[in-house]
Amino acid sequence: MESFARRFVLLGAPGVGKGTYGTRLSKWLGLPLIVTGDLIREEIRKQTPTGLLCAGPVSRGELVPDEVSNFLLKWKLRAAPNGFVLDGYPRREEQIPPLDDMAPPDAAILFTLRDDVLLQKSIARRMCPGCGANYNIANIFEGDIRMPALAPKKEGICDNCGEKLYQREDDKLETVKRRLELHKRLSGPVEARFKENGRLHTFPVNGSPKTTWPVLQDWFLAT
């Protein structure tokens, strides 16, 4: 990736690993990680007026209104003048011009993975309500896919703080199916828009974070 690039957008279907690799890229590059889904879920958790507006669409696997995501994102981007790693936006082509107006990305990294594996990974994700740790109980070895489970030592219990793990509403089967269908419908124009101006870079995810992360680092430096 060009040495002057400091503003990165992460693209890819729900469950592909944008959160995992976004966190690692953020620390490695020394840039803040901005996750629009987390911003929205925090509003829902606090039951703010914005959160109440978002709760219905999120529970159904739908996108929240653009004006909401733009409003939440604007303040985060203003606090990151030296660059950022952005996960979860843009989700549709119409969101690219507002993003370019606020803080035009230097590069969009598209993470790819087979749809059937995405579904298995998504419904197997488990979260800790205490410390925010993220686990995945799916054990996937199919063809060139090598993804061992990232399971807690004790079933259903966080290794870090001992809290009981839970499954997010948007990680349940029917919601995940709707989210993947929605992504498939909307992602093509987004990817095409970034590709036409030379900002799209594609990275296939075929393994666990342990094996994929060093490959991603090498790819990042060579791209």
Side-chain angles (χ1 to χ4, degrees):
M1 206 71 63
E2 294 87 347
S3 59
F4 58 81
R6 300 291 291 172
R7 296 172 173 175
F8 300 99
V9 166
L10 307 184
L11 304 178
V16 75
K18 298 189 300 296
T20 297
Y21 299 113
T23 299
R24 297 189 181 204
L25 282 170
S26 170
K27 293 178 180 178
W28 186 50
L29 298 170
L31 297 173
L33 175 64
I34 302 172
V35 184
T36 53
D38 287 351
L39 300 179
I40 292 166
R41 281 186 285 271
E42 181 65 10
E43 295 294 314
I44 294 173
R45 186 187 69 79
K46 292 179 177 178
Q47 295 188 321
T48 65
T50 299
L52 294 174
L53 180 65
C54 295
V58 169
S59 68
R60 295 189 296 270
E62 301 170 359
L63 299 183
V64 303
D66 283 356
E67 57 268 24
V68 172
S69 51
N70 290 347
F71 172 77
L72 294 173
L73 187 56
K74 176 176 66 175
W75 300 106
K76 284 292 184 179
L77 292 176
R78 284 183 178 178
N82 297 319
F84 52 79
V85 176
L86 176 59
D87 171 7
Y89 191 100
R91 293 285 181 86
R92 48 185 163 221
E93 186 179 12
E94 292 80 5
Q95 294 175 332
I96 297 178
L99 178 58
D100 279 337
D101 288 341
M102 290 185 284
D106 299 311
I109 303 172
L110 172 62
F111 293 96
T112 61
L113 182 63
R114 280 178 11 209
D115 286 354
D116 60 320
V117 178
L118 283 168
L119 183 61
Q120 291 180 64
K121 283 189 70 216
S122 295
I123 63 175
R125 183 160 46 190
R126 298 294 183 268
M127 305 291 295
C128 175
C131 66
N134 192 337
Y135 298 88
N136 199 294
I137 59 177
N139 199 41
I140 305 171
F141 289 85
E142 300 177 9
D144 61 346
I145 306 295
R146 295 288 184 272
M147 295 184 173
L150 300 173
K153 294 175 183 176
K154 184 177 180 180
E155 184 177 353
I157 302 297
C158 180
D159 293 343
N160 300 329
C161 65
E163 288 278 352
K164 184 177 180 180
L165 303 179
Y166 74 101
Q167 183 182 37
R168 292 187 334 199
E169 286 297 319
D170 52 346
D171 285 336
K172 293 184 178 177
L173 180 59
E174 291 307 316
T175 303
V176 169
K177 286 181 177 179
R178 286 194 295 269
R179 292 172 68 205
L180 289 175
E181 284 299 320
L182 180 62
H183 171 79
K184 188 177 295 186
R185 191 165 70 247
L186 298 177
S187 61
V190 173
E191 294 162 16
R193 185 77 168 264
F194 280 117
K195 185 176 182 178
E196 72 184 17
N197 53 33
R199 291 188 286 179
L200 186 70
H201 305 269
T202 302
F203 180 81
V205 178
N206 293 321
S208 68
K210 182 178 180 180
T211 58
T212 301
W213 172 237
V215 177
L216 175 58
Q217 287 176 296
D218 290 343
W219 172 88
F220 195 94
L221 293 172
T223 300

